[in-house]
């Protein structure tokens, strides 16, 4: 896939002396959904703000579809839509006026049909004449999306799009994002909801303390860094494990009826067959049931950020 | 040039005035009428003609300038401050638009609004006095230049202000006193010599004097100096705004 956003050695130090980004390198592929995960203050919003032109970089370069964000800012910005984290809207403008304003701002001529369809897609059409201050938080969030899409961008940045919204609206947002992806829009979203990244992203980037720790295909990441566990339920509880199972990484539950075997999915052999054989050979153990569990993206994320902190 | 963007900002700002059309128009008309009643009729009837011009007529240019200056500063400062305050300025900063285009949109709209108010005040004044304009082209030129330069000044205040209090400080504590002490309601020659010299440091004197000349061909300072001072003020404001945009002052981090 072709890279639509290319970030090289991007650093940002604010006037206060706080270094928000440390030499970030990132290539975002055309048409993908990239989720940037990170705790609060990790540098996610700073990264997005620099790409969109709101914050000036200290060092490094960013190119959007080959256009430098500083020397070719007009061409690069035309391609980008931004949904900010905060509900930053005027108060007395109507929905219709504000999206027309956004479209004009990005250099596009009026297009009533497109904007009408956009509002209908976002369930805002019946609110088109409402003043922004009269809308609920969820509706305001939709208006921000409508504004970001009003100029038909090829790249959409969603900064914490579902922060503070209810479950129903969150699901609606995910549906909107999926629809946009199908229309070819590249989507970069920042979030600290792991569930969100797990649900909709193609790739996941993890940012912590201004450093991009990794960017991986979501499934590869879960496979590479994820640990699996085999939980073995015994017919009869035991107080201790036989000597023949000492070489396996096994944990016996307090009740003595559950054995948890943790194995690495990266390894060529999981050791499950040999373990089951050893259990079968042990006279004191009898199998009742088996199940496997896999670590979630959240556990992977926590492990990554913590191991970085330890370093 | 991103014409659509300039139009979008201009139209959006003009729409804001349209929504409060009654206040926008009624306020200058009522205050002008009151000034004429108080200064023109009640007090003016006891004041001698100034350089051959009746007092009621003499205050028309100053009265117009008073409203035009305060409206230019108020419109332009609020126009850029409010998006900063709500955070919606992010959209302008992330749009494919140059600083100059942003300026044309916001300052152009603010200047248009104050120009219209200036013309409405003159129209209102014509109901009270026998208004005559010796140099209509120069009158419009002075008015437009004043609207533009003080809208630029207001834009600077809007960028600088971090809260509503600061937004009000300059218009209340600087603009209004300068206008009142700039010969809006009197000829500087009526002041004692010391205060005449002090007044020469007031930029508003040159605006009012030049503007008054275009009506009655009487002025406190020569027209050339008036024009030069307005242009100097305009260029200074442009320089400050340009620096603010270049450094991202109070806009970008």
């Amino acid at each position: 896939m072709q890279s639509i956003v290319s970030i090289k050695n991007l650093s940002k130090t604010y006037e206060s002396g706080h270094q928000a980004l440390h030499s970030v390198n990132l290539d975002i592929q055309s048409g993908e959904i990239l989720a940037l995960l990170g705790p609060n203050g990790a540098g996610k919003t700073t990264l997005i703000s620099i790409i969109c032109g709101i914050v000036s970089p200290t060092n490094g370069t960013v190119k959007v579809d080959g256009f430098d964000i500083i020397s070719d800012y007009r061409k690069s910005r035309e391609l980008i839509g931004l949904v900010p984290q905060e509900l930053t809207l005027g108060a007395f403008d109507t929905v219709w006026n504000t999206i027309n304003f956004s479209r004009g701002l990005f250099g596009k001529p009026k297009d009533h049909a497109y904007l009408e369809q956009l509002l209908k897609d976002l369930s805002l059409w019946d609110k088109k004449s409402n003043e922004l201050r009269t809308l609920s938080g969820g509706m305001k969030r939709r208006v921000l999306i409508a504004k970001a899409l009003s100029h038909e961008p090829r790249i959409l940045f969603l900064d914490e799009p579902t922060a503070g919204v209810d479950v129903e609206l969150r699901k609606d947002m995910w549906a909107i994002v999926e629809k946009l992806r199908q229309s070819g829009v590249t989507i970069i979203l920042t979030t600290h909801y792991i569930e969100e990244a797990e649900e909709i992203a193609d790739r996941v980037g993890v940012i912590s303390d201004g450093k991009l720790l990794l960017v991986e295909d979501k499934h590869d990441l879960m496979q590479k860094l994820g640990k699996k566990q085999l939980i073995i339920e015994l017919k009869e509880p035991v107080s201790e494990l036989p000597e023949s199972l000492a070489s396996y990484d096994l944990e016996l539950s307090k009740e003595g009826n559950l054995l948890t075997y943790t194995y690495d999915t990266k390894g060529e052999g999981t050791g499950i067959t040999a373990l089951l054989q050893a259990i079968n050979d042990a006279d004191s153990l009898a199998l009742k049931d088996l199940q496997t569990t896999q670590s979630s993206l959240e556990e992977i994320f926590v492990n990554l950020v913590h191991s970085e902190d330890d370093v | 040039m991103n014409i659509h963007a300039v139009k979008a900002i201009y139209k959006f700002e003009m729409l804001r005035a349209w929504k409060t059309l009654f206040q926008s128009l009624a306020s200058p008309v009522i205050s002008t009428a009151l000034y004429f009643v108080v200064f023109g009729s009640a007090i003016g009837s006891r004041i001698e003609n100034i350089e051959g011009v009746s007092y009621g007529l003499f205050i028309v240019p100053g009265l117009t300038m008073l409203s035009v200056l305060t409206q230019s500063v108020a419109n332009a400062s609020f126009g850029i401050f409010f998006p900063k305050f709500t955070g919606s300025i992010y959209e302008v900063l992330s749009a494919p638009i140059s600083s100059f285009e942003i300026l044309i949109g916001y300052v152009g709209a603010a200047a248009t609004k104050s120009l219209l108010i200036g013309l409405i005040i003159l129209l209102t004044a014509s109901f009270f006095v026998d208004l005559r304009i010796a140099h209509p082209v120069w009158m419009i030129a002075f008015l437009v230049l004043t609207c533009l330069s003080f809208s630029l000044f207001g834009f600077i205040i809007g960028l600088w202000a971090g809260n509503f209090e600061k937004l009000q400080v300059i218009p209340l504590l600087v603009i209004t006193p300068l206008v009142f002490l700039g010969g809006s309601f009197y000829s500087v020659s009526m002041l004692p010599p010391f205060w005449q010299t002090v007044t020469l440091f007031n930029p508003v004197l040159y605006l009012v004097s030049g503007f008054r000349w275009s009506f009655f061909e009487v002025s406190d300072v020569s027209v050339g100096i008036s024009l030069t001072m307005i242009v100097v003020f305009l260029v200074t404001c442009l320089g400050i705004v340009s620096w603010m945009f270049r450094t991202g002052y109070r806009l970008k981090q």
Side-chain angles (χ1 to χ4, degrees), chain A residues 12 14 52-56 73-74 77-78 82 84 88-94 97 101-102 104-110 144 147, chain B residues 1-6 8-9 11-12 15-16 19 82 86-88 90-99 101 106 251-253:
Chain A
K12 174 66 189 179
Y14 287 105
C52 295
I54 300 167
V55 170
S56 304
Y73 72 94
R74 284 187 197 269
R77 290 184 194 176
E78 271 171 12
L82 167 66
T88 44
L89 283 168
F92 306 104
D93 327 311
T94 63
N97 284 344
F101 171 70
S102 301
L105 209 52
F106 279 77
K108 292 270 179 151
K110 280 186 174 181
L144 285 172
K147 281 167 78 69
Chain B
M1 186 181 249
N2 188 344
I3 294 289
H4 288 296
V6 175
I9 295 175
K11 199 175 155 191
F12 198 78
L15 207 62
R16 200 158 53 79
K19 277 186 176 176
F82 197 62
T86 61
S88 57
Y90 82 89
E91 206 177 10
V92 176
L93 296 178
S94 63
I97 178 169
S98 69
S99 309
E101 287 156 1
Y106 280 107
L251 275 176
K252 278 189 184 186
Q253 291 175 304

Side-chain angles (χ1 to χ4, degrees), chain A residues 34-51:
Chain A
L34 173 71
L36 290 172
L37 284 174
N40 289 331
K44 306 184 296 288
T45 301
T46 299
L47 179 61
I48 284 187
S49 300
I50 289 176
I51 301 170

